[in-house]
């Protein structure tokens, strides 16, 4: 992010941030105190370089195995590694990644990079400091934020994969073998929330798949991550707020912890603003686009809503 890069450059040249700058960075990164700010910034840059370097090495190896010259394979590998980790979704191939969907090394490497960038640097900061060999530490060593992100990401990924498999098994996945169907569905379940890569032609998916993808794109990834959307923690808080109201209770709890009311208000505000922004963009597209040229599987309303949410979620 721009804020992270600016703060890291200040540290690199030996300049201390002002109190106002520190407060802005603490708010951006979701930290409570400035004591751990420098460490988080350094780990953010370190994790970024590490994940992208490993991804580049694996992808360059596989692209060279597909017949690319080594310099070209390294360049293409680096481009896609950065694109995946930063959840940008840009590809150098005209069909995105459809031509490589039967190569598990490429698909799984890109999926791992997508997940790594979408979880957020605070989560990786905590996981890197966790002593996994201590059971007691595993139970109490993770913050509420990290537990919420990991739980929500796992549930949403499972929903995306399961829905895609169920709807597209005899559709866009029909020409693939069973292992490759599972591989493609797994990748689509990951990429729908955060990046714009695809292993199947999106203009040929079934309407339920389009609907599911729109929902996942709107949600996005975790706070302080490379993903867009309203963020998974916002959705969790909204669901907890709704269930609390339906049960007639006042306190919103998660993992035996009571959430402050300010968190609930922020989640409602973010969700509402997100919906309004999507509707405003969608309405402008309906006014300005030539609706008669939409003659494919999806009509103008479907296609333009998909594009508006995709733009909002930076997918």
């Amino acid at each position: 992010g721009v804020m992270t890069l600016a703060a890291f450059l200040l540290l690199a040249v030996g300049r201390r941030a002002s109190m106002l700058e520190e407060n802005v960075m603490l708010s951006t990164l979701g930290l409570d105190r400035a004591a751990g700010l420098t460490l988080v910034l350094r780990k953010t840059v370190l994790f970024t370089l590490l994940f992208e370097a490993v991804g580049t090495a694996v992808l360059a190896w596989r692209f060279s195995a597909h017949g690319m010259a080594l310099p070209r394979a390294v360049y293409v590998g680096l481009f896609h590694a950065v694109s995946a980790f930063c959840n940008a979704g840009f590809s150098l191939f005209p069909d995105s990644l459809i031509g490589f969907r039967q190569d598990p090394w490429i698909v799984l490497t890109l999926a791992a990079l997508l997940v790594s960038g979408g979880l957020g640097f605070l989560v990786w900061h905590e996981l890197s400091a966790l002593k996994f060999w201590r059971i007691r530490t595993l139970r109490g060593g993770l913050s509420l934020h990290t537990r919420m992100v990991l739980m929500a990401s796992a549930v949403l990924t499972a929903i995306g994969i399961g829905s895609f498999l169920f709807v597209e098994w005899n559709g866009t996945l029909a020409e693939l073998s069973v292992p490759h169907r599972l591989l493609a569905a797994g990748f689509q379940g990951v990429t729908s929330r955060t990046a714009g890569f695809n292993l199947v032609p999106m203009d040929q998916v079934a309407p339920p798949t389009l609907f599911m993808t729109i929902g996942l794109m709107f949600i996005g990834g975790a706070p302080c991550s490379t993903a867009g959307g309203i963020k998974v923690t916002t959705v969790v808080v909204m669901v907890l707020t709704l269930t609390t109201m339906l049960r007639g209770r006042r306190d919103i709890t998660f993992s035996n912890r009571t959430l402050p009311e300010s968190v609930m208000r922020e989640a409602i505000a973010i969700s509402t603003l997100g919906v309004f922004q999507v509707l405003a963009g969608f309405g402008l597209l309906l006014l300005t686009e030539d609706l008669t040229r939409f003659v494919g599987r999806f009509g103008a309303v479907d296609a333009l809503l998909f594009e508006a949410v995709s733009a909002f979620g930076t997918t």
Side-chain angles (χ1 to χ4, degrees), residues 30-45:
L31 296 174
D32 296 325
R33 54 186 181 275
L37 180 59
T38 301
L39 181 60
V40 171
L41 288 173
R42 288 175 176 170
K43 280 189 175 182
T44 297
V45 176

Side-chain angles (χ1 to χ4, degrees), residues 109-132:
T109 298
L110 290 174
L113 289 169
L114 290 172
V115 172
S116 301
L119 287 179
F121 295 105
L122 282 182
V123 172
W124 286 112
H125 170 66
E126 285 195 26
L127 292 178
S128 66
L130 196 64
K131 297 178 175 60
F132 289 95

Side-chain angles (χ1 to χ4, degrees), residues 7 37 47-48 51 85 97 117 127 157 179 205 209 212 230 234 247 254 272-273 297 302:
L37 180 59
F47 283 138
T48 300
F51 282 122
F85 181 76
L97 300 173
L127 292 178
T157 300
V205 300
T209 302
M212 175 203 68
I230 63 172
T234 302
R247 292 176 179 177
F254 177 82
T272 304
L273 287 172
R297 182 166 189 172
D302 303 323

Side-chain angles (χ1 to χ4, degrees), residues 227-239:
I230 63 172
K231 303 298 186 288
V232 293
T233 49
T234 302
V235 174
V236 172
V237 173
M238 291 291 290
V239 172

